[in-house]
Amino acid sequence: MRVETVASDSELNGRVAFITGAGSGIGEACALGLAQRGAVVAVTDVSESAAKAVAARITDTGGRATSWPIDVTDCESVEIGFAQIEEELGPVKIAVNNAGIALPFRVLADVPDEDWARLMSVNLAGVFHCLRAECRSMRDHGGGAIVNISSVLGRIARLGSAPYAAAKHAVIGLTLGAAVDHGEDNIRVNAVGPGFIGTSLLLGRHSAERLQALGDHAPLKRLGQPQEVAALVSWLVSDAASFTTGAYYPVDGGYLALGS
Ligand SMILES: NC(=O)c1ccc[n+]([C@@H]2O[C@H](COP(=O)([O-])OP(=O)(O)OC[C@H]3O[C@@H](n4cnc5c(N)ncnc54)[C@H](O)[C@@H]3O)[C@@H](O)[C@H]2O)c1
C-alpha cells in the first residue's frame, strides 16, 4: 500500500474558534495560542470582564478575537451566545470546551448536595451544552475539530475527588460518544487530560508546600504551565491531527504513568 503524504499544516487560517472559560488559565492560553496560529477566536467566559481582557490582549498584538459572556451551566446562555458568535464571525470550526471549577476535596460520605450539583453543572452539563451546539453547527457546515478538557482525574481518582473525578470521567465518555456519532459528519472530538497545572484553579486552593509536593509527585518534578496544555490543544484542532478522534491525551508530566 502506498503511503500518502500526511497533511502537516498546523496553521488555522482564519477558522473561527469557540473557547469556554477562556478568561483565565488553560482557556486563556488556548485563546492566545489559537489566535497566534491564525484562528479568529471567540473568547467566552462567565466573567465578562475576564473574557474582554483576553480578547483585548489578542487584538492588541495583531490577532483576531471578540469576547462574549457565556455561562456554560445555562443552556440558553450557550445557545444564544453560540448563535450570536456564528452570526458575527461565521461557522465555528474549532471548539475547546474548557470551562471548569474545582471545589474543596472531601471524602464521599461528607460531600454536600450543593457541591455535587455545582460540579456536575459546570464540569459535565456545561460540556454537554456546548458540545451539542457545536456538533449541530459543524454537522451543517462540513465538520470541525473539538477538544474537551478533562483531567488526570478523568482516568483515576484521588482522596476526596469523587464528584470532580465523576464529572471528568464522564467528559471522556461524552468525547467518545460524540466522536462515534459524528465521525461521518467530519467532526473530530478528542479529550485532553491535564495533570497539575499552575493556574488559579490550583494555585488558589493550596499552600506553597502542597503545590511543591504536587509538582514533585509527577515524574517531570514540576507543575505544568497552561501553555503546555494549549500546545497539545492547538495540535489536536489542526489539520496535522486529521486522523485523530475519540481519544484521550494526557498532558501531565508523566503523572498517570506512575500508576499509583
Ligand atoms: N489547573 C489544573 O491543574 C487542572 C488540572 C486538570 C484539569 N483542569 C481543567 O482545566 C479547565 C480549566 O481550568 P484552569 O485550571 O484554567 O482554571 P481557571 O480557574 O484558571 O479557569 C477557569 C475559567 O473557567 C471560567 N468558568 C467557571 N465557571 C464557568 C461557567 N459556569 N461558565 C463559563 N466559564 C466558567 C472561570 O471564570 C475561569 O475563567 C477546567 O475544566 C479544569 O477542570 C485543570
Side-chain angles (χ1 to χ4, degrees), residues 12 15-45 50-59 61 63-67 94-98 149 226-227 229-231 233-234 237:
L12 302 172
R15 288 176 210 171
V16 176
F18 171 83
I19 310 178
T20 67
S24 80
I26 292 169
E28 176 179 9
C30 289
L32 296 170
L34 296 185
Q36 203 170 33
R37 289 182 142 189
V40 178
V41 183
V43 179
T44 81
D45 201 286
K52 266 193 181 146
V54 171
R57 273 188 73 191
I58 293 172
T59 53
T61 51
R64 287 174 290 174
T66 42
S67 65
I94 293 168
V96 186
N97 298 317
N98 160 79
I149 303 298
Q227 295 79 1
V229 181
V233 171
S234 289
V237 300

Side-chain angles (χ1 to χ4, degrees), residues 101-102 105 164 195-208 210-212 214-215 222-224:
I101 56 165
F105 278 14
Y164 185 88
F196 296 107
I197 310 296
T199 68
S200 57
L201 179 138
L202 193 71
L203 303 178
R205 292 173 55 234
H206 298 293
S207 66
R210 178 73 184 137
L211 290 169
Q212 176 83 40
L214 289 173
R222 64 176 175 84
L223 300 179

Side-chain angles (χ1 to χ4, degrees), residues 10 57 91 133 139 144 149 162 182 187 199 212 220 222 238 245:
S10 62
R57 273 188 73 191
R139 179 172 61 183
I149 303 298
H182 293 292
I187 303 173
T199 68
Q212 176 83 40
L220 289 184
R222 64 176 175 84
S238 77
T245 196

Side-chain angles (χ1 to χ4, degrees), residues 57-78:
R57 273 188 73 191
I58 293 172
T59 53
D60 286 352
T61 51
R64 287 174 290 174
T66 42
S67 65
W68 269 270
I70 290 183
D71 178 350
V72 297
T73 67
D74 176 353
C75 193
E76 208 178 316
S77 166
V78 171

